[in-house]
Amino acid sequence: MITQTKETQAALNPNAAWELLKEGNKRFVDQNQTDRNLLTQVVETTTGQYPFATILGCIDSRVSAELIFDQGVGDIFSARVAGNIVNEDILGSMEFACKLAGTKIIVVLGHTSCGAVKGACDDAKMGNLTELLSKIRPAVKAVSEPADAAERTSKNIDFVNAVAEKNVRMTIDNIRNQSPVLKEMEDNGEILIVGGMYDISNGKVSYM
Ligand SMILES: [Zn+2]
């Protein structure tokens, strides 16, 4: 495993970038992580960075993109916000990452037992969290089953995880609808925009 350079980044197409992440998660699950010298990578990336992927994930302490995809210094842009939603600032970060810095893929990564999703399911209100959770509420409403209100709370983990998956899909739609820059790149085949769900019980990412 080498540190990404301008040449290695340029040589990757979006599908190959996706494969690199899938292989990385398999190494993580198999406990076969790449033996890296991180400080060597620090030195090697001093004059520039050529990451191949942009990952939008949750702030959850168990879902570190670099760890679960077995990536090193300079490999990925990692945007993290509770509930892996987008707003203008996250979209701007992604546009920088793809259009200006050359990453080939955007992964929206949800996860099981997400606290932010649970909060949205329960329609929790607290400070600035209220506004954040309002961005997940459309996913709660979009999951129709179960219909019984008593079953549509954070206590029903199957419901919570269904909302988390729907939230990933709706976030991808929001990226396409709210960022003409990224939509055009996707339409031109310059990037992929994909979704994944990380299972906090076994370390596996399932792909949508
Ligand atoms: Zn979460």
Side-chain angles (χ1 to χ4, degrees):
M1 186 65 53
I2 57 157
T3 302
Q4 293 291 331
T5 65
K6 193 177 176 73
E7 290 72 31
T8 60
Q9 186 201 50
L12 280 173
N13 64 40
N15 284 310
W18 198 196
E19 284 306 311
L20 282 186
L21 292 175
K22 289 178 177 175
E23 289 164 9
N25 181 245
K26 184 166 191 314
R27 289 194 302 274
F28 176 68
V29 171
D30 293 343
Q31 294 191 278
N32 184 31
Q33 283 94 335
T34 301
D35 187 16
R36 297 183 169 80
N37 186 323
L38 291 176
L39 196 60
T40 297
Q41 291 201 300
V42 168
V43 173
E44 288 173 346
T45 54
T46 303
T47 56
Q49 60 168 339
Y50 303 95
F52 66 92
T54 299
I55 298 174
L56 170 61
C58 184
I59 61 167
D60 194 293
S61 64
R62 299 163 291 187
V63 193
S64 158
E66 284 85 351
L67 291 176
I68 68 174
F69 286 111
D70 187 30
Q71 299 300 316
V73 175
D75 287 329
I76 59 174
F77 282 117
S78 183
R80 296 180 66 173
V81 60
N84 40 270
I85 51 84
V86 286
N87 60 16
E88 273 188 338
D89 304 313
I90 300 276
L91 289 170
S93 300
M94 289 176 162
E95 289 171 5
F96 166 78
C98 294
K99 191 75 179 178
L100 301 180
T103 67
K104 310 293 181 180
I105 185 168
I106 292 172
V107 182
V108 178
L109 185 67
H111 69 96
T112 58
S113 297
C114 179
V117 170
K118 287 179 180 177
C121 290
D122 293 344
D123 205 12
K125 312 271 190 211
M126 192 276 287
N128 287 289
L129 192 55
T130 303
E131 173 62 23
L132 171 65
L133 296 185
S134 75
K135 295 185 168 68
I136 306 174
R137 288 289 298 169
V140 177
K141 289 174 184 149
V143 173
S144 54
E145 297 290 330
D148 180 0
E151 298 291 314
R152 298 173 64 82
T153 73
S154 61
K155 292 194 175 65
N156 181 350
I157 195 63
D158 291 337
F159 178 65
V160 169
N161 292 339
V163 171
E165 185 171 332
K166 176 64 81 176
N167 182 51
V168 168
R169 294 182 191 281
M170 293 178 82
T171 297
I172 291 173
D173 290 342
N174 288 338
I175 293 170
R176 290 174 178 145
N177 292 332
Q178 295 169 26
S179 172
V181 171
L182 296 172
K183 174 78 167 70
E184 183 185 25
M185 290 188 79
E186 185 187 38
D187 289 347
N188 291 341
E190 297 167 86
I191 59 168
L192 277 177
I193 305 175
V194 300
M197 276 289 288
Y198 177 76
D199 187 329
I200 61 158
S201 72
N202 61 22
K204 281 188 192 157
V205 177
S206 56
Y207 305 105
M208 297 179 188

